Amino acid sequence: MTMTEKIFSRASEKSQVNPGDNVWINVDVLMTHDACGPGCIGVFKKEFGDDAKVWDREKIVIIADHYIFTSDERANRNLNFVRDFCIEQGIKYFYDITDRSDFKANPDYKGVCHVALAQEGHCRPGEVMIGTDSHTCTAGAFGQFATGVGNTDAAFGFETGKVLLKIIGEISVSGATYKAMEFVGSTIESLTMEERMTLCNMVVEAGGKNSVIPADATTFKYLEDRTSVPYEPVYSDDQARFVAEYRIDASKLEPVVAKPHSPDNRALARECKDVKTDRVYIGSCTGGKTEDFLAAAKVFLASGEKVKVPTFLVPATQKVWMDLYTLPVPGSGGKTCSQIFEAAGCDTPTSPSCGACLGGPRDVCVSTTNRNFPGRMGHTEGQIYLASPYTAAASALTGFVTDPREFLR
């Protein structure tokens, strides 16, 4: 069996599962947030009653990250709704913002769910995670089956701790629709956990149901101080069957961007050098981790110049925000990211949140987020170019989409 099939086998308490099977899966972690939580809770109460109790208050994780740091009454209503539910149910892992008097994050606030889940030790090899957010697949970096589900499925999970899934294998012929994508090889083994999370995060943009990377020493080291829950990693058998295998020579890869209006509208960064940009955005669950900001700082440091367009920095979590002010950037003589960003003329890093990933300006923007559909970052006429932190930083320095190798040679 493949890794995903083995995880399903354990979670369904079956000795063997096969492509095409429908199985009830025991859930290890169920995540929702302030954006989808109210809808999920509404279905839960409607179907199971106002007095219904969740199946396990220690396996549900609720995070405030989407509609926060705002005085909008409807956004605050969402947060109040999930807060009341967590108090009522005694949810152990409710990562609240708690103090909204000045709309700044308090020290206990976590940040964007997909990064916070990893940092708080909820991503464990061999387990099953479902979440009411399509980028839940990020957790596949830990050798965990992780996928996004709808509010109704999550509400059923609240009550039973189970979810009905079809074994990955019966697939369409286009893209990665409903496929499990497994990443292996020397390049994957050389990646840090944050780099692996970025890779798995984007699988849903190819239509993938989930992604997995075999747990190894890098995984175990990351988890050492983050969880005391025992876990059991699984690995694909040598004889495991896959729909297709692709071999990529990483040494031949070049910086790329995704042009408007789809993540698969790929082009080399150097081919877009005439595209003038109005602003640059570095943040989100995809590009707002500590290593993403270190990458951007490396470009700014190598350049020594100031940005030519407004450059916004939104760390994914409170820990990342702290890292920007405390961790020295390699080769900088002890300077932190925040010092380098300030010298380059970037905006001051904001409090952690999903930020403009789910709403922004009517502009041409180079962004480290994960989607560039019309209206995704705000106005339907916005032109969003998805890029790595390296490319985003280089583009900020020139005012045009720029291959970062121009500054890093």
Side-chain angles (χ1 to χ4, degrees), residues 50-77:
D50 289 335
D51 297 327
K53 297 296 182 182
V54 298
W55 104 99
D56 191 326
R57 68 181 188 86
E58 295 191 9
K59 291 187 176 182
I60 293 172
V61 181
I62 300 182
I63 301 180
D65 65 351
H66 278 63
Y67 303 141
I68 57 177
F69 307 133
T70 175
S71 58
D72 184 273
E73 292 183 2
R74 289 175 297 180
N76 291 336
R77 182 179 62 189

PDB file of all heavy atoms in Angstrom, residues 50-77:
ATOM      1  N   ASP A  50     -29.097  21.755  19.982  1.00  0.00           N
ATOM      2  CA  ASP A  50     -28.362  22.806  20.677  1.00  0.00           C
ATOM      3  C   ASP A  50     -27.558  22.286  21.859  1.00  0.00           C
ATOM      4  O   ASP A  50     -26.584  22.910  22.285  1.00  0.00           O
ATOM      5  CB  ASP A  50     -29.341  23.889  21.170  1.00  0.00           C
ATOM      6  CG  ASP A  50     -29.902  24.721  20.030  1.00  0.00           C
ATOM      7  OD1 ASP A  50     -29.235  24.804  18.981  1.00  0.00           O
ATOM      8  OD2 ASP A  50     -31.004  25.279  20.189  1.00  0.00           O
ATOM      9  N   ASP A  51     -27.954  21.150  22.401  1.00  0.00           N
ATOM     10  CA  ASP A  51     -27.258  20.598  23.571  1.00  0.00           C
ATOM     11  C   ASP A  51     -26.216  19.548  23.197  1.00  0.00           C
ATOM     12  O   ASP A  51     -25.606  18.931  24.083  1.00  0.00           O
ATOM     13  CB  ASP A  51     -28.273  19.973  24.539  1.00  0.00           C
ATOM     14  CG  ASP A  51     -29.245  21.005  25.102  1.00  0.00           C
ATOM     15  OD1 ASP A  51     -28.817  22.158  25.282  1.00  0.00           O
ATOM     16  OD2 ASP A  51     -30.416  20.648  25.350  1.00  0.00           O
ATOM     17  N   ALA A  52     -25.996  19.333  21.902  1.00  0.00           N
ATOM     18  CA  ALA A  52     -25.042  18.307  21.463  1.00  0.00           C
ATOM     19  C   ALA A  52     -23.628  18.651  21.907  1.00  0.00           C
ATOM     20  O   ALA A  52     -23.251  19.828  21.990  1.00  0.00           O
ATOM     21  CB  ALA A  52     -25.099  18.166  19.943  1.00  0.00           C
ATOM     22  N   LYS A  53     -22.835  17.625  22.189  1.00  0.00           N
ATOM     23  CA  LYS A  53     -21.439  17.804  22.597  1.00  0.00           C
ATOM     24  C   LYS A  53     -20.512  17.226  21.529  1.00  0.00           C
ATOM     25  O   LYS A  53     -20.829  16.214  20.896  1.00  0.00           O
ATOM     26  CB  LYS A  53     -21.173  17.096  23.927  1.00  0.00           C
ATOM     27  CG  LYS A  53     -21.972  17.660  25.094  1.00  0.00           C
ATOM     28  CD  LYS A  53     -21.587  19.103  25.386  1.00  0.00           C
ATOM     29  CE  LYS A  53     -22.350  19.652  26.578  1.00  0.00           C
ATOM     30  NZ  LYS A  53     -22.020  21.079  26.842  1.00  0.00           N
ATOM     31  N   VAL A  54     -19.387  17.858  21.337  1.00  0.00           N
ATOM     32  CA  VAL A  54     -18.413  17.360  20.363  1.00  0.00           C
ATOM     33  C   VAL A  54     -17.851  16.030  20.837  1.00  0.00           C
ATOM     34  O   VAL A  54     -17.837  15.745  22.040  1.00  0.00           O
ATOM     35  CB  VAL A  54     -17.267  18.375  20.139  1.00  0.00           C
ATOM     36  CG1 VAL A  54     -17.803  19.680  19.580  1.00  0.00           C
ATOM     37  CG2 VAL A  54     -16.494  18.627  21.430  1.00  0.00           C
ATOM     38  N   TRP A  55     -17.364  15.245  19.870  1.00  0.00           N
ATOM     39  CA  TRP A  55     -16.944  13.883  20.214  1.00  0.00           C
ATOM     40  C   TRP A  55     -15.691  13.865  21.072  1.00  0.00           C
ATOM     41  O   TRP A  55     -15.507  12.987  21.918  1.00  0.00           O
ATOM     42  CB  TRP A  55     -16.751  13.075  18.924  1.00  0.00           C
ATOM     43  CG  TRP A  55     -15.338  12.828  18.484  1.00  0.00           C
ATOM     44  CD1 TRP A  55     -14.601  11.690  18.689  1.00  0.00           C
ATOM     45  CD2 TRP A  55     -14.481  13.719  17.743  1.00  0.00           C
ATOM     46  NE1 TRP A  55     -13.354  11.822  18.132  1.00  0.00           N
ATOM     47  CE2 TRP A  55     -13.254  13.056  17.545  1.00  0.00           C
ATOM     48  CE3 TRP A  55     -14.639  15.018  17.244  1.00  0.00           C
ATOM     49  CZ2 TRP A  55     -12.191  13.636  16.858  1.00  0.00           C
ATOM     50  CZ3 TRP A  55     -13.594  15.601  16.559  1.00  0.00           C
ATOM     51  CH2 TRP A  55     -12.388  14.931  16.378  1.00  0.00           C
ATOM     52  N   ASP A  56     -14.798  14.827  20.911  1.00  0.00           N
ATOM     53  CA  ASP A  56     -13.570  14.858  21.702  1.00  0.00           C
ATOM     54  C   ASP A  56     -13.060  16.301  21.718  1.00  0.00           C
ATOM     55  O   ASP A  56     -12.550  16.808  20.718  1.00  0.00           O
ATOM     56  CB  ASP A  56     -12.515  13.927  21.095  1.00  0.00           C
ATOM     57  CG  ASP A  56     -11.311  13.720  22.009  1.00  0.00           C
ATOM     58  OD1 ASP A  56     -10.952  14.666  22.728  1.00  0.00           O
ATOM     59  OD2 ASP A  56     -10.730  12.617  21.990  1.00  0.00           O
ATOM     60  N   ARG A  57     -13.170  16.974  22.841  1.00  0.00           N
ATOM     61  CA  ARG A  57     -12.816  18.392  22.916  1.00  0.00           C
ATOM     62  C   ARG A  57     -11.312  18.633  22.790  1.00  0.00           C
ATOM     63  O   ARG A  57     -10.880  19.775  22.622  1.00  0.00           O
ATOM     64  CB  ARG A  57     -13.331  18.989  24.225  1.00  0.00           C
ATOM     65  CG  ARG A  57     -12.631  18.471  25.475  1.00  0.00           C
ATOM     66  CD  ARG A  57     -13.212  19.104  26.734  1.00  0.00           C
ATOM     67  NE  ARG A  57     -12.425  18.762  27.910  1.00  0.00           N
ATOM     68  CZ  ARG A  57     -11.359  19.442  28.311  1.00  0.00           C
ATOM     69  NH1 ARG A  57     -10.964  20.497  27.633  1.00  0.00           N
ATOM     70  NH2 ARG A  57     -10.693  19.079  29.379  1.00  0.00           N
ATOM     71  N   GLU A  58     -10.504  17.558  22.883  1.00  0.00           N
ATOM     72  CA  GLU A  58      -9.051  17.715  22.763  1.00  0.00           C
ATOM     73  C   GLU A  58      -8.538  17.413  21.362  1.00  0.00           C
ATOM     74  O   GLU A  58      -7.342  17.531  21.103  1.00  0.00           O
ATOM     75  CB  GLU A  58      -8.332  16.827  23.787  1.00  0.00           C
ATOM     76  CG  GLU A  58      -8.611  17.238  25.226  1.00  0.00           C
ATOM     77  CD  GLU A  58      -7.713  16.539  26.219  1.00  0.00           C
ATOM     78  OE1 GLU A  58      -6.749  15.866  25.785  1.00  0.00           O
ATOM     79  OE2 GLU A  58      -7.965  16.659  27.438  1.00  0.00           O
ATOM     80  N   LYS A  59      -9.439  17.011  20.459  1.00  0.00           N
ATOM     81  CA  LYS A  59      -9.013  16.732  19.089  1.00  0.00           C
ATOM     82  C   LYS A  59      -9.524  17.772  18.098  1.00  0.00           C
ATOM     83  O   LYS A  59      -9.284  17.658  16.900  1.00  0.00           O
ATOM     84  CB  LYS A  59      -9.476  15.329  18.666  1.00  0.00           C
ATOM     85  CG  LYS A  59      -8.738  14.208  19.404  1.00  0.00           C
ATOM     86  CD  LYS A  59      -9.091  12.841  18.849  1.00  0.00           C
ATOM     87  CE  LYS A  59      -8.271  11.745  19.538  1.00  0.00           C
ATOM     88  NZ  LYS A  59      -8.573  10.401  18.975  1.00  0.00           N
ATOM     89  N   ILE A  60     -10.209  18.766  18.614  1.00  0.00           N
ATOM     90  CA  ILE A  60     -10.704  19.860  17.774  1.00  0.00           C
ATOM     91  C   ILE A  60      -9.829  21.084  17.997  1.00  0.00           C
ATOM     92  O   ILE A  60      -9.536  21.453  19.138  1.00  0.00           O
ATOM     93  CB  ILE A  60     -12.171  20.178  18.104  1.00  0.00           C
ATOM     94  CG1 ILE A  60     -13.062  19.000  17.702  1.00  0.00           C
ATOM     95  CG2 ILE A  60     -12.619  21.460  17.401  1.00  0.00           C
ATOM     96  CD1 ILE A  60     -14.492  19.128  18.149  1.00  0.00           C
ATOM     97  N   VAL A  61      -9.383  21.685  16.902  1.00  0.00           N
ATOM     98  CA  VAL A  61      -8.554  22.888  16.969  1.00  0.00           C
ATOM     99  C   VAL A  61      -9.285  24.007  16.236  1.00  0.00           C
ATOM    100  O   VAL A  61      -9.685  23.847  15.081  1.00  0.00           O
ATOM    101  CB  VAL A  61      -7.179  22.663  16.312  1.00  0.00           C
ATOM    102  CG1 VAL A  61      -6.332  23.926  16.415  1.00  0.00           C
ATOM    103  CG2 VAL A  61      -6.454  21.477  16.965  1.00  0.00           C
ATOM    104  N   ILE A  62      -9.492  25.120  16.920  1.00  0.00           N
ATOM    105  CA  ILE A  62     -10.155  26.279  16.307  1.00  0.00           C
ATOM    106  C   ILE A  62      -9.226  27.484  16.426  1.00  0.00           C
ATOM    107  O   ILE A  62      -8.743  27.797  17.516  1.00  0.00           O
ATOM    108  CB  ILE A  62     -11.520  26.558  16.957  1.00  0.00           C
ATOM    109  CG1 ILE A  62     -12.439  25.328  16.773  1.00  0.00           C
ATOM    110  CG2 ILE A  62     -12.156  27.800  16.348  1.00  0.00           C
ATOM    111  CD1 ILE A  62     -13.839  25.496  17.322  1.00  0.00           C
ATOM    112  N   ILE A  63      -8.986  28.136  15.302  1.00  0.00           N
ATOM    113  CA  ILE A  63      -8.009  29.222  15.249  1.00  0.00           C
ATOM    114  C   ILE A  63      -8.642  30.478  14.655  1.00  0.00           C
ATOM    115  O   ILE A  63      -9.318  30.413  13.633  1.00  0.00           O
ATOM    116  CB  ILE A  63      -6.787  28.803  14.404  1.00  0.00           C
ATOM    117  CG1 ILE A  63      -6.123  27.547  14.996  1.00  0.00           C
ATOM    118  CG2 ILE A  63      -5.775  29.931  14.304  1.00  0.00           C
ATOM    119  CD1 ILE A  63      -4.909  27.062  14.226  1.00  0.00           C
ATOM    120  N   ALA A  64      -8.400  31.597  15.288  1.00  0.00           N
ATOM    121  CA  ALA A  64      -8.815  32.893  14.748  1.00  0.00           C
ATOM    122  C   ALA A  64      -7.687  33.412  13.854  1.00  0.00           C
ATOM    123  O   ALA A  64      -6.574  33.624  14.323  1.00  0.00           O
ATOM    124  CB  ALA A  64      -9.081  33.873  15.889  1.00  0.00           C
ATOM    125  N   ASP A  65      -7.979  33.586  12.560  1.00  0.00           N
ATOM    126  CA  ASP A  65      -6.897  34.057  11.674  1.00  0.00           C
ATOM    127  C   ASP A  65      -7.381  34.829  10.445  1.00  0.00           C
ATOM    128  O   ASP A  65      -6.624  35.590   9.853  1.00  0.00           O
ATOM    129  CB  ASP A  65      -6.020  32.882  11.215  1.00  0.00           C
ATOM    130  CG  ASP A  65      -6.757  31.875  10.341  1.00  0.00           C
ATOM    131  OD1 ASP A  65      -7.989  31.981  10.212  1.00  0.00           O
ATOM    132  OD2 ASP A  65      -6.103  30.971   9.790  1.00  0.00           O
ATOM    133  N   HIS A  66      -8.632  34.688  10.059  1.00  0.00           N
ATOM    134  CA  HIS A  66      -9.096  35.311   8.820  1.00  0.00           C
ATOM    135  C   HIS A  66      -9.664  36.715   9.026  1.00  0.00           C
ATOM    136  O   HIS A  66      -9.168  37.685   8.465  1.00  0.00           O
ATOM    137  CB  HIS A  66     -10.163  34.439   8.154  1.00  0.00           C
ATOM    138  CG  HIS A  66      -9.604  33.312   7.335  1.00  0.00           C
ATOM    139  ND1 HIS A  66      -8.860  32.301   7.882  1.00  0.00           N
ATOM    140  CD2 HIS A  66      -9.680  33.056   6.007  1.00  0.00           C
ATOM    141  CE1 HIS A  66      -8.504  31.449   6.920  1.00  0.00           C
ATOM    142  NE2 HIS A  66      -8.989  31.897   5.767  1.00  0.00           N
ATOM    143  N   TYR A  67     -10.733  36.808   9.823  1.00  0.00           N
ATOM    144  CA  TYR A  67     -11.448  38.082   9.976  1.00  0.00           C
ATOM    145  C   TYR A  67     -11.105  38.734  11.313  1.00  0.00           C
ATOM    146  O   TYR A  67     -11.928  38.841  12.210  1.00  0.00           O
ATOM    147  CB  TYR A  67     -12.960  37.852   9.877  1.00  0.00           C
ATOM    148  CG  TYR A  67     -13.391  37.194   8.593  1.00  0.00           C
ATOM    149  CD1 TYR A  67     -14.398  36.239   8.587  1.00  0.00           C
ATOM    150  CD2 TYR A  67     -12.792  37.520   7.377  1.00  0.00           C
ATOM    151  CE1 TYR A  67     -14.811  35.637   7.397  1.00  0.00           C
ATOM    152  CE2 TYR A  67     -13.192  36.918   6.198  1.00  0.00           C
ATOM    153  CZ  TYR A  67     -14.202  35.974   6.217  1.00  0.00           C
ATOM    154  OH  TYR A  67     -14.603  35.378   5.049  1.00  0.00           O
ATOM    155  N   ILE A  68      -9.874  39.155  11.444  1.00  0.00           N
ATOM    156  CA  ILE A  68      -9.408  39.719  12.706  1.00  0.00           C
ATOM    157  C   ILE A  68      -8.749  41.064  12.456  1.00  0.00           C
ATOM    158  O   ILE A  68      -8.559  41.480  11.318  1.00  0.00           O
ATOM    159  CB  ILE A  68      -8.434  38.755  13.411  1.00  0.00           C
ATOM    160  CG1 ILE A  68      -7.249  38.431  12.496  1.00  0.00           C
ATOM    161  CG2 ILE A  68      -9.135  37.472  13.820  1.00  0.00           C
ATOM    162  CD1 ILE A  68      -6.214  37.545  13.133  1.00  0.00           C
ATOM    163  N   PHE A  69      -8.384  41.760  13.544  1.00  0.00           N
ATOM    164  CA  PHE A  69      -7.772  43.097  13.459  1.00  0.00           C
ATOM    165  C   PHE A  69      -8.630  44.033  12.619  1.00  0.00           C
ATOM    166  O   PHE A  69      -8.152  44.703  11.724  1.00  0.00           O
ATOM    167  CB  PHE A  69      -6.357  43.018  12.876  1.00  0.00           C
ATOM    168  CG  PHE A  69      -5.478  42.038  13.590  1.00  0.00           C
ATOM    169  CD1 PHE A  69      -4.700  41.129  12.887  1.00  0.00           C
ATOM    170  CD2 PHE A  69      -5.431  42.010  14.975  1.00  0.00           C
ATOM    171  CE1 PHE A  69      -3.895  40.225  13.547  1.00  0.00           C
ATOM    172  CE2 PHE A  69      -4.627  41.099  15.639  1.00  0.00           C
ATOM    173  CZ  PHE A  69      -3.855  40.204  14.936  1.00  0.00           C
ATOM    174  N   THR A  70      -9.912  44.017  12.884  1.00  0.00           N
ATOM    175  CA  THR A  70     -10.845  44.870  12.162  1.00  0.00           C
ATOM    176  C   THR A  70     -11.965  45.290  13.089  1.00  0.00           C
ATOM    177  O   THR A  70     -12.311  44.562  14.031  1.00  0.00           O
ATOM    178  CB  THR A  70     -11.441  44.150  10.939  1.00  0.00           C
ATOM    179  OG1 THR A  70     -12.424  44.987  10.332  1.00  0.00           O
ATOM    180  CG2 THR A  70     -12.088  42.834  11.343  1.00  0.00           C
ATOM    181  N   SER A  71     -12.529  46.461  12.828  1.00  0.00           N
ATOM    182  CA  SER A  71     -13.670  46.931  13.619  1.00  0.00           C
ATOM    183  C   SER A  71     -14.993  46.570  12.964  1.00  0.00           C
ATOM    184  O   SER A  71     -16.053  46.948  13.449  1.00  0.00           O
ATOM    185  CB  SER A  71     -13.581  48.454  13.800  1.00  0.00           C
ATOM    186  OG  SER A  71     -13.556  49.100  12.540  1.00  0.00           O
ATOM    187  N   ASP A  72     -14.936  45.808  11.855  1.00  0.00           N
ATOM    188  CA  ASP A  72     -16.144  45.409  11.149  1.00  0.00           C
ATOM    189  C   ASP A  72     -17.017  44.527  12.048  1.00  0.00           C
ATOM    190  O   ASP A  72     -16.567  43.492  12.545  1.00  0.00           O
ATOM    191  CB  ASP A  72     -15.779  44.653   9.874  1.00  0.00           C
ATOM    192  CG  ASP A  72     -16.998  44.288   9.049  1.00  0.00           C
ATOM    193  OD1 ASP A  72     -17.586  43.225   9.306  1.00  0.00           O
ATOM    194  OD2 ASP A  72     -17.360  45.076   8.149  1.00  0.00           O
ATOM    195  N   GLU A  73     -18.261  44.931  12.241  1.00  0.00           N
ATOM    196  CA  GLU A  73     -19.143  44.216  13.166  1.00  0.00           C
ATOM    197  C   GLU A  73     -19.412  42.780  12.737  1.00  0.00           C
ATOM    198  O   GLU A  73     -19.504  41.869  13.565  1.00  0.00           O
ATOM    199  CB  GLU A  73     -20.466  44.974  13.310  1.00  0.00           C
ATOM    200  CG  GLU A  73     -20.330  46.308  14.035  1.00  0.00           C
ATOM    201  CD  GLU A  73     -21.673  46.984  14.228  1.00  0.00           C
ATOM    202  OE1 GLU A  73     -22.699  46.382  13.834  1.00  0.00           O
ATOM    203  OE2 GLU A  73     -21.692  48.093  14.779  1.00  0.00           O
ATOM    204  N   ARG A  74     -19.555  42.561  11.436  1.00  0.00           N
ATOM    205  CA  ARG A  74     -19.843  41.206  10.961  1.00  0.00           C
ATOM    206  C   ARG A  74     -18.640  40.286  11.165  1.00  0.00           C
ATOM    207  O   ARG A  74     -18.795  39.110  11.494  1.00  0.00           O
ATOM    208  CB  ARG A  74     -20.245  41.246   9.497  1.00  0.00           C
ATOM    209  CG  ARG A  74     -21.625  41.853   9.255  1.00  0.00           C
ATOM    210  CD  ARG A  74     -21.936  41.998   7.793  1.00  0.00           C
ATOM    211  NE  ARG A  74     -21.022  42.918   7.122  1.00  0.00           N
ATOM    212  CZ  ARG A  74     -21.068  43.229   5.836  1.00  0.00           C
ATOM    213  NH1 ARG A  74     -21.999  42.671   5.070  1.00  0.00           N
ATOM    214  NH2 ARG A  74     -20.219  44.070   5.313  1.00  0.00           N
ATOM    215  N   ALA A  75     -17.433  40.830  10.969  1.00  0.00           N
ATOM    216  CA  ALA A  75     -16.237  40.031  11.205  1.00  0.00           C
ATOM    217  C   ALA A  75     -16.110  39.692  12.685  1.00  0.00           C
ATOM    218  O   ALA A  75     -15.804  38.549  13.059  1.00  0.00           O
ATOM    219  CB  ALA A  75     -15.001  40.787  10.728  1.00  0.00           C
ATOM    220  N   ASN A  76     -16.379  40.668  13.544  1.00  0.00           N
ATOM    221  CA  ASN A  76     -16.306  40.425  14.983  1.00  0.00           C
ATOM    222  C   ASN A  76     -17.368  39.430  15.436  1.00  0.00           C
ATOM    223  O   ASN A  76     -17.145  38.646  16.355  1.00  0.00           O
ATOM    224  CB  ASN A  76     -16.473  41.743  15.746  1.00  0.00           C
ATOM    225  CG  ASN A  76     -15.287  42.673  15.550  1.00  0.00           C
ATOM    226  OD1 ASN A  76     -14.185  42.228  15.244  1.00  0.00           O
ATOM    227  ND2 ASN A  76     -15.507  43.965  15.723  1.00  0.00           N
ATOM    228  N   ARG A  77     -18.506  39.464  14.761  1.00  0.00           N
ATOM    229  CA  ARG A  77     -19.572  38.513  15.088  1.00  0.00           C
ATOM    230  C   ARG A  77     -19.112  37.085  14.842  1.00  0.00           C
ATOM    231  O   ARG A  77     -19.418  36.175  15.625  1.00  0.00           O
ATOM    232  CB  ARG A  77     -20.807  38.835  14.246  1.00  0.00           C
ATOM    233  CG  ARG A  77     -22.011  37.948  14.531  1.00  0.00           C
ATOM    234  CD  ARG A  77     -23.183  38.361  13.657  1.00  0.00           C
ATOM    235  NE  ARG A  77     -22.859  38.202  12.229  1.00  0.00           N
ATOM    236  CZ  ARG A  77     -23.635  38.646  11.248  1.00  0.00           C
ATOM    237  NH1 ARG A  77     -24.754  39.288  11.526  1.00  0.00           N
ATOM    238  NH2 ARG A  77     -23.286  38.453   9.986  1.00  0.00           N
TER     239      ARG A  77
END
